[in-house]
Amino acid sequence: MSEADCLFCKIVAREIPAEIVYETDRTLAFRDVNPQAPTHVLVVPREHHRDAAALAAADQGLADEVLKTAHAVASQEGVAESGYRLVFNTGPEAGQTVFHVHGHVIGGRDLKWPPG
């Protein structure tokens, strides 16, 4: 898949609608269309990076900004104090279906371990 075909790149470019809940110059956060909890928001860098490993290697500070955005979303959504889960699926066997790195901010209910 090229960046031109990337679903999340199209959301970042506002070519596909999404319920955006938070953004910075380098990140965007929007509600998951198939939520697994009362709070389920995806956080993406505006730049295209295939997965968490690519993000970590890409740019000093970008992974940090994605994590800071995730925490800001958790605070804004009211789950920072009670607890939330931050998940990065990396690769198809881990459940990654969109190959633009994204963190899932999940909270608002008891989250069991192991997740599945």
Side-chain angles (χ1 to χ4, degrees):
M1 175 182 296
S2 72
E3 290 178 38
D5 296 328
C6 174
L7 173 65
F8 291 169
C9 285
K10 289 179 179 183
I11 290 173
V12 167
R14 306 295 209 274
E15 295 171 8
I16 294 176
E19 187 179 343
I20 296 168
V21 299
Y22 193 90
E23 59 186 303
T24 70
D25 290 342
R26 299 178 74 190
T27 64
L28 187 73
F30 51 93
R31 297 210 185 277
D32 193 297
V33 297
N34 184 25
Q36 302 300 305
T39 296
H40 191 165
V41 175
L42 304 179
V43 177
V44 303
R46 292 180 183 272
E47 296 174 7
H48 182 88
H49 299 286
R50 178 177 172 81
D51 54 30
L55 176 65
D59 174 324
Q60 186 174 12
L62 185 56
D64 179 58
E65 188 156 348
V66 169
L67 291 175
K68 286 179 179 177
T69 297
H71 181 67
V73 166
S75 294
Q76 178 179 292
E77 295 288 312
V79 297
E81 291 297 319
S82 60
Y84 61 96
R85 185 168 290 159
L86 183 58
V87 177
F88 288 86
N89 298 320
T90 300
E93 288 188 22
Q96 186 178 8
T97 57
V98 177
F99 291 89
H100 181 128
V101 63
H102 54 287
H104 297 255
V105 179
I106 302 169
R109 67 170 175 82
D110 283 341
L111 300 171
K112 305 299 180 204
W113 193 261

